[in-house]
Amino acid sequence: MPIPEEVTGDEIDKDVRQELQSLPKTLAEDVARNLVMVARLLDEDPEAAYGYSRVALRLASRVAAVREAAGFAAYATQKYSEALAEFRAARRMTGSVELWPVMADCERGLGRPEKALDMAGAPEVHKLDKAGQVEMRLVAAGARRDMGQLDAAIVTLQSPELASNSVQPWTARLRYAYADALLAAGREQEAREWFAKAVESDRDGSTDASDRLAELDGVEFVDALDERDGEGETESDGGVEGSSAEDGDKD
């Protein structure tokens, strides 16, 4: 697969670069460049990222970082069985528990929420850092929802991390998941409060909490390029519509 000339491979993390030192220099450079492409495209073009990951895997399947990258690329394209196999291989090579939550989420993707819950209660969870433990809680709550256990999902998400006023990298996603579970259980007013809290903590736009909050408030966003009834653009195009001008905040 083509790689832009400006991609040298030096862009990769130093720990990954150190892993690649076990390879011949030219091969290491080729693998590194493909890993850079995986990282660059994983969010915007998962299929392309998957393609680059397969090249890297073909070149250096005995490097843990390559197996991990291949796992995330497969995960992003919903190839959960393949992703799980790659994550397991990477874990065998490193002995790390870091991938435990995403491995459990692969079990969910494979339609095995009970297995994900078993993993959420395993000793490995206690070895995770705080971010990993929060991620495991999110996966466990998702598994509960997969099984139709909404109340249990809500309880699973109730934690010191959820109650904390400090904003951490996981805060927005945790609050969002809690709000979404509340809404699914028919607790709309509580859900609105937690979507609002998710908006407050979502500094990088990692969730669509603001859209969900607007939807609950009956607000409709109108595309400025839309034409209505063949009349072309109007002065209100690009604005926000609701039932009245006073409906901006219903707290």
Side-chain angles (χ1 to χ4, degrees):
M1 297 181 68
I3 298 176
E5 291 183 5
E6 65 269 18
V7 175
T8 65
D10 293 334
E11 301 90 342
I12 62 173
D13 183 84
K14 64 178 182 179
D15 292 336
V16 177
R17 191 180 303 116
Q18 187 172 1
E19 278 193 63
L20 296 179
Q21 287 180 354
S22 62
L23 304 174
K25 185 174 186 298
T26 301
L27 179 59
E29 290 175 353
D30 288 343
V31 173
R33 295 181 73 210
N34 278 281
L35 292 180
V36 170
M37 295 304 296
V38 173
R40 285 189 176 185
L41 296 171
L42 194 60
D43 291 331
E44 63 184 63
D45 191 349
E47 288 293 345
Y50 176 76
Y52 284 105
S53 77
R54 300 306 297 177
V55 175
L57 192 60
R58 187 172 66 249
L59 295 173
S61 62
R62 295 186 179 182
V63 176
V66 172
R67 304 302 290 264
E68 183 174 329
F72 278 109
Y75 178 79
T77 53
Q78 300 183 7
K79 298 176 176 67
Y80 298 116
S81 180
E82 186 176 322
L84 186 57
E86 297 301 340
F87 290 142
R88 284 173 173 167
R91 183 168 179 266
R92 284 195 301 270
M93 292 175 179
T94 64
S96 172
V97 298
E98 182 180 350
L99 296 171
W100 197 252
V102 71
M103 289 168 63
D105 207 39
C106 285
E107 296 288 0
R108 284 186 61 211
L110 290 168
R112 301 194 291 247
E114 297 89 350
K115 178 61 176 176
L117 287 176
D118 288 343
M119 294 179 69
E124 284 83 355
V125 175
H126 300 294
K127 300 176 184 178
L128 294 168
D129 61 14
K130 181 62 67 177
Q133 290 179 5
V134 171
E135 193 65 35
M136 193 72 247
R137 189 176 293 275
L138 289 167
V139 173
R144 291 291 186 189
R145 291 190 63 173
D146 294 342
M147 299 167 68
Q149 301 174 1
L150 285 176
D151 290 341
I154 291 170
V155 171
T156 298
L157 293 168
Q158 292 170 345
S159 61
E161 294 80 19
L162 180 67
S164 175
N165 290 324
S166 67
V167 176
Q168 302 295 335
W170 60 76
T171 302
R173 291 178 59 239
L174 184 59
R175 291 176 175 179
Y176 182 95
Y178 189 58
D180 194 47
L182 288 168
L183 187 61
R187 296 161 61 175
E188 184 171 320
Q189 185 55 42
E190 292 175 85
R192 189 204 176 281
E193 293 172 5
W194 281 97
F195 276 127
K197 290 181 179 182
V199 171
E200 292 173 1
S201 57
D202 194 358
R203 296 169 177 171
D204 59 0
S206 61
T207 74
D208 65 347
S210 59
D211 293 340
R212 300 293 299 277
L213 183 61
E215 182 181 348
L216 285 173
D217 285 345
V219 178
E220 178 184 355
F221 292 91
V222 180
D223 193 325
L225 300 179
D226 282 347
E227 294 186 356
R228 299 177 186 169
D229 300 325
E231 295 178 0
E233 295 180 358
T234 68
E235 291 183 0
S236 62
D237 283 347
V240 178
E241 290 188 344
S243 57
S244 70
E246 291 78 24
D247 287 343
D249 190 349
K250 297 186 179 180
D251 281 339

